[in-house]
Amino acid sequence: MDCIGPAFDGKFKWLRGLEIPADVMNDPQYPDGCCVALPCNATSILKVNPATDKVHTFGNHVLEQCGSNRWLYHGGTLAPNGWVYAIPANATRVLKFHPLTEEVCLIGPEFPGGQKWFGGILGSDAPDACVYGIPHNETGVLKIDPTTDEVSLLMHEDGGPLPDGQWKWHGGLRSKNKIIGFPNNSDRVLVVDCRQDRVYTIGDSSILRSGRHRIPQDNRYKYLGGALTLDCRYAYLFPCDAEQVLRIDCETDELKLVGPLLLEGENKFQNGFVVSFSFHFGQSN
């Protein structure tokens, strides 16, 4: 283990990173592709070349105009067009950048407010797939179309907004053409049908419950991460302050609590992963 690159001052500079494959970079300087980290409190994008251990930043001139100076972006993804789209937390606009040319720009309308969306997820494996942002405090799902750079909001299927504020969903995952939003403080699971641009919720507080250690009971911080089975049929959500693993049937939208009661208290697990023999592992906080 070693530290590489220059020293960078400050706290919470970059939050979450992306692996950019060599075929996307398509440049002999990057035989192994590159890694990029998304700006949180830093007004720059961090870039690492694994082949040379070169570390540098770029994009300062644009990020200084993003409408905030802290907790700028929370999550993003590499779109099929080779550009990265970052999801605004406190920043007011979507960030778009090319990992090879280092061209950086802000796209779409301005969105005021703090901690608006959490996580960026591709809606399918198609070459024209859109990018979706999961509402944290915002009232709609963020939709980015990389073929046009159009940025829009998807509201609930009943035509109205989702609840305002509340730190509702903590990112999500995709099963085929359906995105599942992890219920943090919301008592319902968010579902986005990307094929139909349909947004709806499933479940209620009878199954989505926080742990008995929360006194007074506020039903918060229930699930902050999950993983899919290899066939994409089931999503397993790992309990943070909830007491059991939540299983979601991504085809039928059925919810079921599985496994033993986990009574260790708060911040038990956050993210997790699945391995080839179909066991799921949760990562503790």
Side-chain angles (χ1 to χ4, degrees), residues 102-123:
E102 300 183 2
E103 181 181 350
V104 183
C105 58
L106 301 172
I107 64 171
E110 291 193 355
F111 298 100
Q115 303 296 330
K116 294 179 284 291
W117 295 281
F118 189 115
I121 303 172
L122 276 178

Side-chain angles (χ1 to χ4, degrees), residues 222-223 237-245 262 268-270:
K222 294 181 286 295
Y223 298 94
L237 275 54
F238 306 113
C240 180
D241 277 21
E243 294 181 348
Q244 282 183 281
V245 171
L262 303 170
K268 290 185 285 290
F269 306 98
Q270 188 167 131

Side-chain angles (χ1 to χ4, degrees), residues 26-43:
N26 193 28
D27 187 291
Q29 297 182 76
Y30 296 93
D32 301 320
C34 76
C35 301
V36 294
L38 304 177
C40 182
N41 287 352
T43 52

Side-chain angles (χ1 to χ4, degrees), residues 17-278:
L18 298 171
E19 301 173 5
I20 311 298
D23 61 331
V24 172
M25 297 298 285
N26 193 28
D27 187 291
Q29 297 182 76
Y30 296 93
D32 301 320
C34 76
C35 301
V36 294
L38 304 177
C40 182
N41 287 352
T43 52
S44 64
I45 299 156
L46 185 72
K47 182 177 178 180
V48 181
N49 185 341
T52 64
D53 281 348
K54 179 182 177 182
V55 180
H56 71 281
T57 61
F58 65 95
N60 304 63
H61 62 293
V62 173
L63 282 158
E64 290 170 355
Q65 311 299 318
C66 74
S68 183
N69 59 8
R70 61 190 302 271
W71 301 106
L72 305 181
Y73 295 92
H74 205 148
T77 193
L78 175 68
N81 63 1
W83 291 75
V84 172
Y85 293 83
I87 304 301
N90 288 353
T92 56
R93 299 179 71 193
V94 171
L95 175 68
K96 171 188 174 182
F97 66 89
H98 198 285
L100 176 61
T101 67
E102 300 183 2
E103 181 181 350
V104 183
C105 58
L106 301 172
I107 64 171
E110 291 193 355
F111 298 100
Q115 303 296 330
K116 294 179 284 291
W117 295 281
F118 189 115
I121 303 172
L122 276 178
S124 75
D125 295 322
D128 60 350
C130 291
V131 179
Y132 296 84
I134 305 300
H136 211 33
N137 285 321
E138 256 290 351
T139 59
V141 174
L142 186 70
K143 179 182 178 183
I144 306 164
D145 186 344
T147 65
T148 63
D149 281 350
E150 179 184 4
V151 179
S152 58
L153 292 182
L154 300 179
M155 297 300 172
H156 191 275
E157 64 177 354
D158 65 9
L162 295 162
D164 187 24
Q166 302 177 25
W167 315 86
K168 297 179 286 294
W169 295 286
H170 192 270
L173 53 75
R174 175 174 61 87
S175 170
K176 300 178 181 177
N177 294 293
K178 182 183 286 186
I179 291 173
I180 301 295
F182 304 137
N184 178 33
N185 293 347
S186 175
D187 293 338
R188 301 180 68 82
V189 174
L190 179 73
V191 182
V192 183
D193 185 327
C194 303
R195 184 176 292 148
Q196 301 180 17
D197 272 355
R198 178 188 173 209
V199 176
Y200 61 101
T201 58
I202 56 176
D204 55 39
S205 58
S206 67
I207 192 168
L208 297 173
R209 299 186 296 269
S210 195
R212 64 197 72 186
H213 64 280
R214 297 193 67 88
I215 301 172
Q217 178 57 254
D218 55 10
N219 226 25
R220 300 179 69 183
Y221 303 112
K222 294 181 286 295
Y223 298 94
L224 304 186
L228 281 174
T229 53
L230 296 177
D231 61 2
C232 296
R233 173 71 186 265
Y234 296 103
Y236 286 86
L237 275 54
F238 306 113
C240 180
D241 277 21
E243 294 181 348
Q244 282 183 281
V245 171
L246 176 66
R247 190 188 77 172
I248 304 172
D249 187 324
C250 298
E251 294 183 5
T252 67
D253 290 340
E254 178 191 13
L255 305 183
K256 182 179 181 181
L257 296 173
V258 298
L261 290 173
L262 303 170
L263 304 177
E264 293 90 343
E266 62 185 8
N267 298 325
K268 290 185 285 290
F269 306 98
Q270 188 167 131
N271 288 315
F273 56 93
V274 62
V275 296
S276 59
F277 44 89
S278 295

